[in-house]
Amino acid sequence: MTGNAFKVWALHLGVLAALLAAQFVLPAYHNGNLARIMVLAVYAMGFNIAFGYTGLLSLGHALFFGAGLYGMGMLVALAGWGAGAALTAGIAAGGAMALAVGLLALRTAGVSFMIVTLMFAQAGYLTILYYTPYTRGEEGIVIDRAARVLLGFDLSDDGVRYFAAFALFAAALLVKLALVRSPFGRVMVAMRENEERSRMLGYDPFRIKLAALVLSGIYAGAAGAAYGLLFGYVGASFASIQYSILPLLYVLLGGAGTVLGPFLGAALMFYLIDLASGITTAHLLVVGVALLVLVLFAPKGILGALRDRGLKWLP
Amino acid sequence: MDFGPFLLLALMEGLVTAAVLALTAVGLALVFGVMRVVNVAHGEFFMLGAVAAWFVTTWIPGPPAVGFIAALVLCPLLVASVAALADTLVLKRLNYDPDATIVATIGLLYILQQAALSLYGPDARPVEAPFTLRVQFPWFGYSGYKLAVIVAAALLLAGVWLLLARTKIGLVMRATQIDRETARAFGINVDRVYAGVFALGAGLAAVAAVLIVPIQQAHYLMGHDPLLLSFIVVIIGGLGSLRGTLVAALLIGLSDGVISVFFSPTLAKILATLFVALVLVFRPQGLMGRRAA
């Protein structure tokens, strides 16, 4: 193992070990928060695969998160599926939705791609509201405690919930680390940096971008399905534009195109809003100002800036 | 009521929607056409205009018409200056990079929304119409104010067209749109043109909002729908094409009116958003645009 590879694995396994240990040290309030952050970080990691690595700025990822959330939730609430099967279906729904959107939206690029994804996501959100008799619209579906049992573990229990969130996060992080260090990961970056040159070298940009978007959708779907199961609630607000913007914010803050950036951004933003809501109710202002400050003064985010200043090995 | 009159009512409601939508969308189209900036905060400028109209009409005593006319003049000016400030402080410093400006205007959206929520509150509040007149048709009575909105919007749009096509200001704007560098070489202050265009776009949204606010109450989240519909209209019309924008506003406004009356407003919006996404995918230059954006 070369020096850099050792540093990379040591850093990421170290972060995972610290998160595992945090469960026994932190008070209950932060335990709950951290479980939520880890699930949201999986969502942001998915967004980062599309935006940070492949250069696809989508403004409609809430559609994939929502597909996972509702794919899982409606099967449990209406069809009486078990948690495991519904979770798998939710993940598949996220990927399938990304495939469908990608087949159409990837015919466009740049500003058009952003608006097309925004529009598809908005159509999805409105569709959830339109079918309120089944989806319960704004009010949402509460998943019964009895239905939230996975492989014999009761997910409504705080400790179990933390471990479930941790397991999902760890799997997502390690898969992503392997992905971005693989040849395919490098081709994704090539799409972001210079699509024409990669085409000249014989790669098919459409297929690579589609594959990246589907992966991204699978992450988002997994996060959505897990969020619904772990916190027992499925609501239309999770499919709204706000939930398309949140992962963008997390990724920009932590560092686009870094493996740990989404988690760092999600954690910082979560606690920033948490702290701010202790002082003022104006938490939208915090989000707005954070976006402006980031895009003006730190477009590469925290880990992106660190990578520029010496830590070149950071994946 | 028979089908015929019912359809007439739906079409008239659609025409009011189309009039206000055309004003808002032309503002968005101008900003995109000249500056190549996708302004996600456009709906918030609309909302700001409506909320400001509530403040102005509440503060100014006397008959409702006086306050309303004051609002019609003051609110767009106020919103335009907020927009000019945002352009100078934020967009200019980003060098109008497409990705960065979208993120920045999303930030602006949240800031403006929070400002409205904190200063104005979460309630929807009505503004009194400047006059109450009921136009009696053989089958139903209709609000005279709504008809006035259609006329006012048409006049304002004609004014915008005159400004662009017949004045020096319009000439400078079009020159900047076609080639920013050459315009600069000919001594045009491009920074000022950009600030002016951004302000004009926001001002148009604010005028539209002041016109609509006696029909639809002022609320801090009201910018959402106009933003979405304006996006739809601007894209269907062809990004940056003003004539296309007007035709699309009419098309979307009327179909929105008809589908909303006969089916449901949500269905109307779902169909419109899907339609626009497909237009962008299969005909990226828009229905009336000439070349790819």
Side-chain angles (χ1 to χ4, degrees):
Chain A
M1 210 184 257
T2 61
N4 278 350
F6 177 75
K7 274 191 254 177
V8 167
W9 286 105
L11 174 68
H12 291 85
L13 294 176
V15 168
L16 287 180
L19 277 172
L20 192 58
Q23 144 85 358
F24 305 103
V25 188
L26 288 177
Y29 173 67
H30 293 285
N31 247 332
N33 281 352
L34 215 51
R36 217 170 274 261
I37 288 169
M38 284 191 288
V39 176
L40 287 174
V42 172
Y43 178 28
M45 275 195 267
F47 184 82
N48 197 21
I49 291 178
F51 169 61
Y53 288 95
T54 322
L56 298 167
L57 177 44
S58 142
L59 294 180
H61 258 59
L63 184 61
F64 312 144
F65 189 80
L69 189 70
Y70 273 91
M72 182 283 300
M74 295 189 51
L75 284 174
V76 169
L78 297 179
W81 282 33
L87 183 68
T88 318
I91 296 172
M97 191 62 95
L99 180 69
V101 169
L103 280 173
L104 289 170
L106 283 173
R107 295 169 56 110
T108 64
V111 171
S112 300
F113 181 78
M114 299 176 211
I115 300 177
V116 171
T117 47
L118 182 76
M119 290 296 165
F120 277 131
Q122 187 62 21
Y125 170 65
L126 291 171
T127 307
I128 291 174
L129 293 187
Y130 188 67
Y131 288 104
T132 294
Y134 303 100
T135 60
R136 314 272 304 274
E138 295 283 6
E139 185 194 323
I141 306 167
V142 175
I143 309 275
D144 284 337
R145 245 187 119 123
R148 290 161 61 197
V149 177
L150 186 65
L151 306 173
F153 292 105
D154 178 11
L155 294 176
S156 51
D157 175 73
D158 283 348
V160 175
R161 174 161 67 195
Y162 188 91
F163 276 116
F166 173 79
L168 177 72
F169 175 73
L173 186 79
L174 294 176
V175 168
K176 190 172 164 201
L177 188 59
L179 172 75
V180 303
R181 291 166 64 83
S182 72
F184 182 74
R186 294 183 202 287
V187 178
M188 281 178 3
V189 175
M191 288 302 132
R192 179 188 73 196
E193 293 299 324
N194 195 333
E195 191 176 322
E196 280 315 305
R197 191 176 297 173
S198 341
R199 192 198 303 275
M200 206 182 71
L201 288 172
Y203 293 105
D204 180 353
F206 182 81
R207 282 176 60 179
I208 287 159
K209 288 196 282 190
L210 188 61
L213 197 66
V214 169
L215 259 174
S216 177
I218 289 175
Y219 267 70
Y227 200 93
L229 267 185
L230 293 181
F231 302 100
Y233 174 71
V234 170
S237 62
F238 290 111
S240 66
I241 289 183
Q242 182 135 17
Y243 268 78
S244 292
I245 304 302
L246 275 181
L248 171 67
L249 184 60
Y250 296 156
V251 167
L252 278 177
L253 177 59
T258 62
V259 173
L260 279 174
F263 172 71
L264 187 65
L268 283 176
M269 208 60 224
F270 194 94
Y271 275 102
L272 186 63
I273 291 178
D274 196 50
L275 281 179
S277 53
I279 307 163
T280 147
T281 52
H283 73 271
L284 285 176
L285 189 72
V286 179
V287 175
V289 171
L291 278 171
L292 278 189
V293 168
L294 278 170
V295 78
L296 276 175
F297 303 108
K300 288 187 173 173
I302 297 169
L303 292 183
L306 280 180
R307 180 152 64 185
D308 283 354
R309 302 213 171 84
L311 297 178
K312 281 211 173 51
W313 50 271
L314 213 60
Chain B
M1 206 156 41
D2 289 333
F3 179 75
F6 209 46
L7 185 66
L8 179 66
L9 182 66
L11 286 176
M12 284 171 60
E13 285 293 312
L15 215 53
V16 177
T17 312
V20 175
L21 185 55
L23 274 178
T24 320
V26 162
L28 192 69
L30 263 180
V31 169
F32 184 81
V34 177
M35 304 167 68
R36 299 271 129 186
V37 164
V38 177
N39 179 17
V40 184
H42 197 65
E44 304 317 307
F45 290 139
F46 181 91
M47 175 276 291
L48 220 53
V51 167
W54 182 84
F55 278 111
V56 171
T57 50
T58 313
W59 281 336
I60 291 183
V66 177
F68 187 79
I69 288 169
L72 208 51
V73 176
L74 290 177
C75 299
L77 287 178
L78 172 82
V79 174
S81 28
V82 171
L85 196 69
D87 175 74
T88 332
L89 288 183
V90 181
L91 299 184
K92 193 177 135 194
R93 300 184 48 167
L94 293 172
N95 241 333
Y96 303 101
D97 171 70
D99 284 13
T101 46
I102 284 201
V103 177
T105 51
I106 293 172
L108 206 58
L109 176 156
Y110 284 125
I111 293 174
L112 293 176
Q113 221 169 64
Q114 184 67 58
L117 178 60
S118 299
L119 299 175
Y120 172 80
D123 306 323
R125 295 177 211 185
V127 167
E128 212 177 322
F131 59 88
T132 46
L133 177 76
R134 198 175 158 80
V135 181
Q136 191 61 45
F137 286 87
W139 316 276
F140 54 83
Y142 200 68
S143 151
Y145 178 73
K146 285 188 180 175
L147 297 176
V149 167
I150 299 174
V151 175
L155 288 176
L156 280 164
L157 287 169
V160 172
W161 179 78
L162 277 178
L163 177 77
L164 283 175
R166 293 278 182 271
T167 65
K168 177 118 187 274
I169 301 174
L171 187 67
V172 167
M173 272 164 56
R174 281 181 291 142
T176 315
Q177 168 168 13
I178 293 165
D179 190 333
R180 165 155 63 146
E181 293 314 313
T182 312
R184 205 192 293 274
F186 276 81
I188 291 175
N189 185 340
V190 171
D191 287 347
R192 249 177 57 196
V193 175
Y194 275 24
V197 167
F198 203 63
L200 178 62
L204 282 171
V207 170
V210 177
L211 285 176
I212 200 72
V213 84
I215 303 172
Q216 184 193 41
Q217 305 186 341
H219 184 249
Y220 83 103
L221 287 177
M222 74 188 295
H224 201 102
D225 284 353
L227 173 71
L228 213 69
L229 286 173
S230 306
F231 261 143
I232 292 173
V233 163
V234 169
I235 291 165
I236 291 180
L239 290 163
S241 146
L242 286 191
R243 200 159 47 97
T245 304
L246 286 183
V247 174
L250 214 56
L251 185 77
I252 291 291
L254 288 180
S255 64
D256 187 80
V258 172
I259 301 177
S260 297
V261 167
F262 286 101
F263 300 99
S264 95
T266 316
L267 186 65
K269 274 191 222 111
I270 295 177
L271 292 179
T273 33
L274 283 180
F275 181 52
V276 77
L278 295 176
V279 165
L280 256 186
V281 169
F282 293 106
R283 209 181 141 74
Q285 71 272 43
L287 293 183
M288 301 192 64
R290 254 161 289 163
R291 60 199 161 83

